[in-house]
Amino acid sequence: MTLLRISDLKTQFPTPDGIVRAVDTIDLSIGERETLGLIGETGCGKTVLGLTLMRLLQSSTKTEGTIIYKGTNLLKISEAEMRRIRGEEIAMILQNPTTSLNPVMRVGGQIAEAIRLHQGLSKRDAKEKAIEMLDAVRIPSPSIRVNEYPHEFSGGMKQRVMIAMGLACNPSLIIADEPTKGLDVTIKSQIMKLLKEVTEERAMLIITHDLGVARELCDRIALMYAGELVEYATTGEIFEDPLHPYTRGFLGSLPSNGLVPIPGMSPSLINLPDGCRFHPRCGHATELCRRKHPDMIEIEDGHFVRCFHA
Amino acid sequence: MLEVLGLTKYFSSGLIRKRYLRAVDDVSFKIEKGKTLGLVGESGCGKTTIGRLILRLTKPTGGKVLFDGIDLFALNRRELLAIRPRIQMIFQDPDSSLNPRMKIGTSIAEPLKLHGTIPKAKRGQRIRELIETVGLNPEHVNRYPYQLSGGQNQRVVLARILAMNPDLIIADEPTSSLDVSVQAQILNLMKDLQKKFDHTYLFVSHDLDVVRIMADRIAVMYLGRLVEIGETGDIYDCAKHPYTQALLSAATVDGGKERIVLKGETSSPIDMPAGCRFHTRCPRKRERCTIEEPELVEVGRDHYVACHLV
């Protein structure tokens, strides 16, 4: 069953230099207990998409389209209703745990905050619950750690705390933004193992630039380029039969796949190229690609591509 | 070209009860001319400190570094200044390696001016040559770093290094802040330059996939010590040290294979565990490992491992 359906979603930031089209006409859906990977490079709009879903962007942002979660359009409900959804229904594990945790607040208090707000537990019960959560994300001696401050935790431990905060109110959907960024490889393996367990019981949207992470955790993968989706398919198909030249280029530029770079660089989201947004970097671009913007088409059952030549 | 012998660096803290942080402990290796040694390890293992010690940016506690037969630690200030152009370093973050208020051209001209290798009249010509060698356009000369992307700035850094005609380049995670498609561009450029100018590289990285492509030999570090060193092929095909094996299993993108997930985190380099430094996380530890520190022993042609179990 579909848990979340995004249709025609647009997020734009007006700036003195022009309108930044960070998220441009995106359609996506996430099923119950499904893990979807949103992959893209720096500045493609993937984090903005996550923040749009949580309605965490500043008020000057222009958002259009619909985000249907369990039958309600999240863009239409009041701020109070949205506050109930955040944390309890949809939780976000933000990028960079070091700056996302409050440095002057005990770790336990930060986890308990959401629990007290949503579940109305007493201070003592919420703390018990926080200890339980720390134990669930395998932090050793949780009853001592709960009283410590973020600076007493290592990078991997802080990421575990972030995950514990996300899980605290048992949400149906978790949005994890770059959950393994900046972690050492052996710690990354530990966090991935933990995330894998988390995904067994709920839906998750993983925003990342790391294909290794996506391959291991996700059921389906959506590739984002310059604000829009360019390919969307099951993880197996993305890796075995990628159709969009950007997906192929992205896979090919991995060191383990031969290190063939994509020439040029991503366009600015203010000044998008005409036609297909990828055409200036694409080896197969034709006159058509320069002139006309391709639509997303379903090539095979459930495999969508935005390319004239796929 | 470069020979490092028993290199050691302790940082001390505390006035009365002095405590020592053993950042680099008795590390020895050699790099042949025109070859690349990949230095791999997790954060805090001392790999960056080794780079800085070779450049004499930090004072060593003990050991020797021979560069082209010259003992770098025995040089006085003037002699050091004369030899510095031949050893250059690329840092992790290209944006902070360049002066934000200096035009790209000025940044590249700076070392030429300082070392006075080229008469003023010919400098412009040389800068244009360098810009072209690293794949930038002549028009970039008049731009500022903020007007270029991370990948382009890293090219500028490379141009500035080439201006010195170095023999040895120490690259400290040169692509860790770049997107994969751009990372591939920079790594390919570094390989081309090496072929063209016969550079010797010490390539410091935590990314085993990248090192595999770049390096002829690989040295793996854990808590200030080398645990394994050998030809790239040998390390990837028959790694002997449990730590190397865990790193490799964490790095490879191919799904399917079971990961080795190490328990816990790297111990603090101040309160080092007795015996083998890795024993607290080692899945195969024996009693001997907790008492006696293993030495590097030869296990194959030019392949050394510090582990009691091999």
Side-chain angles (χ1 to χ4, degrees), chain B residues 128-176:
Chain B
R128 275 192 296 280
E129 275 172 33
L130 290 166
I131 285 267
E132 221 159 276
T133 317
V134 297
L136 292 170
N137 296 327
E139 69 205 53
H140 285 131
V141 172
N142 291 319
R143 303 255 184 97
Y144 288 96
Y146 76 89
Q147 294 170 307
L148 304 185
S149 69
Q152 286 174 324
N153 277 335
Q154 202 60 295
R155 286 176 196 268
V156 174
V157 171
L158 278 167
R160 192 170 59 172
I161 283 169
L162 292 179
M164 294 285 81
N165 285 321
D167 295 305
L168 172 68
I169 296 178
I170 299 168
D172 189 0
E173 308 251 15
T175 58
S176 66

Side-chain angles (χ1 to χ4, degrees), chain B residues 267-303:
Chain B
S267 321
S268 145
I270 296 176
D271 305 305
M272 209 77 86
C276 173
R277 291 175 188 191
F278 183 61
H279 85 253
T280 49
R281 302 176 75 192
C282 186
R284 293 184 356 223
K285 86 165 182 207
R286 307 273 166 79
E287 201 184 324
R288 188 178 168 202
C289 306
T290 59
I291 307 159
E292 199 183 324
E293 187 157 9
E295 294 290 327
L296 280 172
V297 287
E298 191 159 8
V299 292
R301 202 176 60 81
D302 205 21
H303 186 174

Side-chain angles (χ1 to χ4, degrees), chain A:
Chain A
M1 225 184 88
T2 311
L3 182 71
L4 180 84
R5 183 181 295 280
I6 304 167
S7 322
D8 276 330
L9 188 67
K10 285 183 194 163
T11 307
Q12 303 181 337
F13 304 105
T15 68
D17 299 326
I19 294 166
V20 179
R21 290 190 273 169
V23 172
D24 209 8
T25 330
I26 289 219
D27 294 288
L28 264 184
S29 64
I30 303 175
E32 271 175 53
R33 296 186 190 203
E34 187 188 15
T35 307
L36 176 70
L38 185 64
I39 308 233
E41 294 182 280
T42 319
C44 76
K46 55 191 195 300
T47 296
V48 173
L49 178 64
L51 292 173
T52 307
L53 296 181
M54 296 294 281
R55 277 187 38 190
L56 286 173
L57 293 164
Q58 67 264 46
S59 53
S60 63
T61 316
K62 256 183 69 190
T63 311
E64 278 172 41
T66 54
I67 304 170
I68 308 291
Y69 174 78
K70 289 187 178 167
T72 348
N73 185 354
L74 297 186
L75 293 179
K76 288 276 181 299
I77 59 177
S78 69
E79 184 53 38
E81 284 171 275
M82 192 61 213
R83 210 173 293 143
R84 191 192 65 79
I85 294 220
R86 275 187 217 125
E88 199 172 328
E89 291 284 345
I90 309 176
M92 190 159 183
I93 300 172
L94 291 165
Q95 243 185 79
N96 199 345
T98 307
T99 49
S100 300
L101 290 169
N102 185 342
V104 294
M105 204 171 154
R106 291 177 208 278
V107 162
Q110 301 191 48
I111 300 173
E113 201 179 19
I115 301 172
R116 290 186 64 196
L117 189 74
H118 289 293
Q119 301 180 346
L121 294 184
S122 72
K123 216 168 175 176
R124 183 187 286 168
D125 290 345
K127 192 173 169 185
E128 275 308 308
K129 185 82 198 285
I131 294 173
E132 226 174 84
M133 291 320 300
L134 286 178
D135 192 42
V137 295
R138 299 229 174 77
I139 287 190
S141 35
S143 46
I144 299 166
R145 287 297 204 157
V146 79
N147 292 320
E148 289 183 350
Y149 289 94
H151 75 263
E152 293 169 278
F153 284 62
S154 67
M157 298 274 239
K158 277 184 230 170
Q159 190 57 267
R160 283 172 195 271
V161 172
M162 293 298 290
I163 294 172
M165 281 168 77
L167 291 174
C169 295
N170 200 15
S172 315
L173 171 66
I174 289 190
I175 301 171
D177 194 1
E178 301 276 12
T180 58
K181 198 177 180 179
L183 299 177
D184 274 326
V185 276
T186 58
I187 306 300
K188 189 169 134 187
S189 303
Q190 295 173 357
I191 295 294
M192 282 181 43
K193 198 174 160 205
L194 178 63
L195 287 173
K196 214 170 190 165
E197 291 166 24
V198 170
T199 56
E200 273 165 24
E201 286 161 32
R202 52 179 58 77
M204 180 131 94
L205 174 66
I206 298 182
I207 300 171
T208 179
H209 67 275
D210 189 330
L211 277 167
V213 172
R215 180 172 206 168
E216 208 160 311
L217 296 174
C218 300
D219 303 311
R220 283 189 300 154
I221 288 178
L223 268 107
M224 201 166 169
Y225 183 77
E228 61 184 11
L229 295 187
V230 292
E231 187 160 2
Y232 183 28
T234 59
T235 303
E237 280 193 48
I238 289 282
F239 279 92
E240 276 140 42
D241 188 21
L243 295 174
H244 197 283
Y246 177 64
T247 316
R248 289 187 186 166
F250 199 100
L251 287 167
S253 63
L254 290 176
S256 50
N257 288 348
L259 206 70
V260 186
I262 305 176
M265 51 183 179
S266 307
S268 133
L269 294 172
I270 296 182
N271 240 326
L272 290 165
D274 288 332
C276 172
R277 289 179 188 174
F278 187 60
H279 88 255
R281 302 176 75 185
C282 182
H284 309 284
T286 58
E287 193 46 42
L288 180 65
C289 309
R290 280 182 272 275
R291 249 185 10 221
K292 201 163 171 267
H293 183 245
D295 287 324
M296 202 74 165
I297 41 168
E298 191 166 6
I299 295 252
E300 281 158 54
D301 201 23
H303 192 153
F304 296 84
V305 186
R306 192 187 293 281
C307 179
F308 292 120
H309 308 292

Side-chain angles (χ1 to χ4, degrees), chain B residues 42-272:
Chain B
E42 295 181 279
S43 34
C45 75
K47 54 192 195 301
T48 297
T49 308
I50 288 187
R52 297 178 57 89
L53 285 168
I54 294 171
L55 277 163
R56 274 187 58 181
L57 294 174
T58 341
K59 251 179 103 178
T61 309
K64 243 188 196 174
V65 174
L66 300 175
F67 169 72
D68 214 1
I70 309 159
D71 184 351
L72 290 182
F73 296 162
L75 299 180
N76 64 29
R77 244 181 77 82
R78 241 193 34 243
E79 292 165 328
L80 182 67
L81 219 58
I83 210 159
R84 272 248 170 92
R86 298 179 59 195
I87 312 172
Q88 292 290 315
M89 186 154 185
I90 309 173
F91 296 94
Q92 213 173 99
D93 181 7
D95 301 350
S96 57
S97 312
L98 295 168
N99 186 334
R101 299 171 46 154
M102 244 186 217
K103 284 182 181 161
I104 298 305
T106 325
S107 267
I108 300 174
E110 199 73 354
L112 294 173
K113 213 155 72 186
L114 278 173
H115 288 281
T117 39
I118 285 171
K120 205 173 171 184
K122 285 191 176 162
R123 251 180 236 154
Q125 168 71 24
R126 177 79 178 128
I127 291 167
R128 275 192 296 280
E129 275 172 33
L130 290 166
I131 285 267
E132 221 159 276
T133 317
V134 297
L136 292 170
N137 296 327
E139 69 205 53
H140 285 131
V141 172
N142 291 319
R143 303 255 184 97
Y144 288 96
Y146 76 89
Q147 294 170 307
L148 304 185
S149 69
Q152 286 174 324
N153 277 335
Q154 202 60 295
R155 286 176 196 268
V156 174
V157 171
L158 278 167
R160 192 170 59 172
I161 283 169
L162 292 179
M164 294 285 81
N165 285 321
D167 295 305
L168 172 68
I169 296 178
I170 299 168
D172 189 0
E173 308 251 15
T175 58
S176 66
S177 64
L178 304 175
D179 275 323
V180 278
S181 68
V182 180
Q183 161 174 291
Q185 294 172 6
I186 297 294
L187 293 178
N188 282 328
L189 174 65
M190 284 183 69
K191 285 189 92 154
D192 291 345
L193 292 175
Q194 180 173 38
K195 238 182 259 158
K196 208 160 150 190
F197 299 106
D198 205 20
H199 290 147
T200 306
Y201 282 138
L202 175 63
F203 195 95
V204 178
S205 179
H206 68 275
D207 189 333
L208 276 148
D209 285 334
V210 168
V211 169
R212 180 178 204 164
I213 294 225
M214 298 300 290
D216 301 295
R217 294 175 74 227
I218 290 178
V220 182
M221 272 187 95
Y222 187 79
L223 272 179
R225 276 222 177 232
L226 284 189
V227 295
E228 186 157 5
I229 181 166
E231 300 269 334
T232 303
D234 291 337
I235 296 280
Y236 278 87
D237 299 333
C238 51
K240 294 277 192 283
H241 199 282
Y243 180 62
T244 317
Q245 290 167 354
L247 280 182
L248 284 172
S249 94
T252 32
V253 183
D254 55 8
K257 243 198 325 192
E258 192 57 37
R259 264 167 210 278
I260 307 171
V261 180
L262 290 177
K263 270 179 272 160
E265 296 174 8
T266 313
S267 321
S268 145
I270 296 176
D271 305 305
M272 209 77 86

